[in-house]
């Protein structure tokens, strides 16, 4: 088996991982099998090696799930709701002498990113 064949398989697997279409388990398994059927090394006694299919399938599912989790986390982290929850949490941890101080602090915090707010919140 040449390195070209491996590179082609890995490219096709990577494309499947990055495919935005939602697939069920069986469809993903069929797609992995289709990719591996093109290479003789994955056959044992004229049958597709199920361990190879399972290994690649696990990789595809794991990476697709990780991408999805990361996208959801980013969506949540960048929301205005999260920003104001963080600002509220920071303000609760601080003591203010007057309402003007509180308003000034809120104005200052509103200019920061959610990441910066999270860092501030965790440091208090």
């Amino acid at each position: 088996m040449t390195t070209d064949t491996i590179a082609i398989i890995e490219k096709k697997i990577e494309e499947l991982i990055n495919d935005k279409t939602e697939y069920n388990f069986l469809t993903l398994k069929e797609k992995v099998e289709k990719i591996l059927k093109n290479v003789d090394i994955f056959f044992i006694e004229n049958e597709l090696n199920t361990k190879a299919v399972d290994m690649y399938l696990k990789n595809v599912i794991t990476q697709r799930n990780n991408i999805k989790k990361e996208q959801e986390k980013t969506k949540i982290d960048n929301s205005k709701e999260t920003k104001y929850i963080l600002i509220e949490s920071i303000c609760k941890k601080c003591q203010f002498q007057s309402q003007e101080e509180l308003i000034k602090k809120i104005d200052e915090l509103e200019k920061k990113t959610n990441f910066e707010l999270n860092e501030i919140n965790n440091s208090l």
Side-chain angles (χ1 to χ4, degrees):
M1 185 160 127
T2 65
T3 55
D4 290 341
T5 309
I6 293 172
I8 291 169
I9 289 171
E10 289 185 3
K11 183 177 184 259
K12 288 181 179 180
I13 293 291
E14 190 67 31
E15 288 172 1
L16 182 57
I17 290 168
N18 293 320
D19 186 347
K20 303 288 184 214
T21 310
E22 290 289 326
Y23 297 112
N24 64 28
F25 177 81
L26 291 177
T27 305
L28 277 175
K29 186 173 182 177
E30 288 170 6
K31 288 188 172 288
V32 169
E33 288 173 348
K34 184 178 177 183
I35 292 168
L36 298 181
K37 280 182 181 176
N38 295 325
V39 184
D40 291 337
I41 196 166
F42 293 112
F43 281 87
I44 298 175
E45 297 177 6
N46 295 328
E47 298 252 342
L48 189 59
N49 184 341
T50 58
K51 289 183 181 181
V53 172
D54 291 345
M55 181 187 75
Y56 277 101
L57 181 61
K58 179 182 176 194
N59 182 34
V60 168
I61 291 171
T62 301
Q63 290 198 32
R64 284 175 64 97
N65 286 343
N66 289 342
I67 289 169
K68 193 173 184 178
K69 285 179 192 173
E70 201 57 40
Q71 288 170 341
E72 288 173 5
K73 185 176 183 268
T74 302
K75 203 181 295 181
I76 291 170
D77 287 349
N78 291 330
S79 74
K80 282 195 177 265
E81 289 176 12
T82 303
K83 182 174 205 153
Y84 288 106
I85 289 169
L86 287 167
I87 290 173
E88 181 180 358
S89 177
I90 292 167
C91 289
K92 283 181 179 179
K93 293 178 181 179
C94 299
Q95 292 186 3
F96 300 99
Q97 300 300 322
S98 67
Q99 194 169 2
E100 286 91 26
E101 278 184 43
L102 174 61
I103 292 169
K104 185 177 176 183
K105 185 68 173 179
I106 291 171
D107 288 340
E108 174 189 319
L109 293 173
E110 283 180 330
K111 296 173 185 168
K112 300 198 180 289
T113 65
N114 286 6
F115 179 77
E116 292 170 321
L117 291 171
N118 198 36
E119 293 291 314
I120 293 168
N121 191 38
N122 290 336
S123 69
L124 295 176

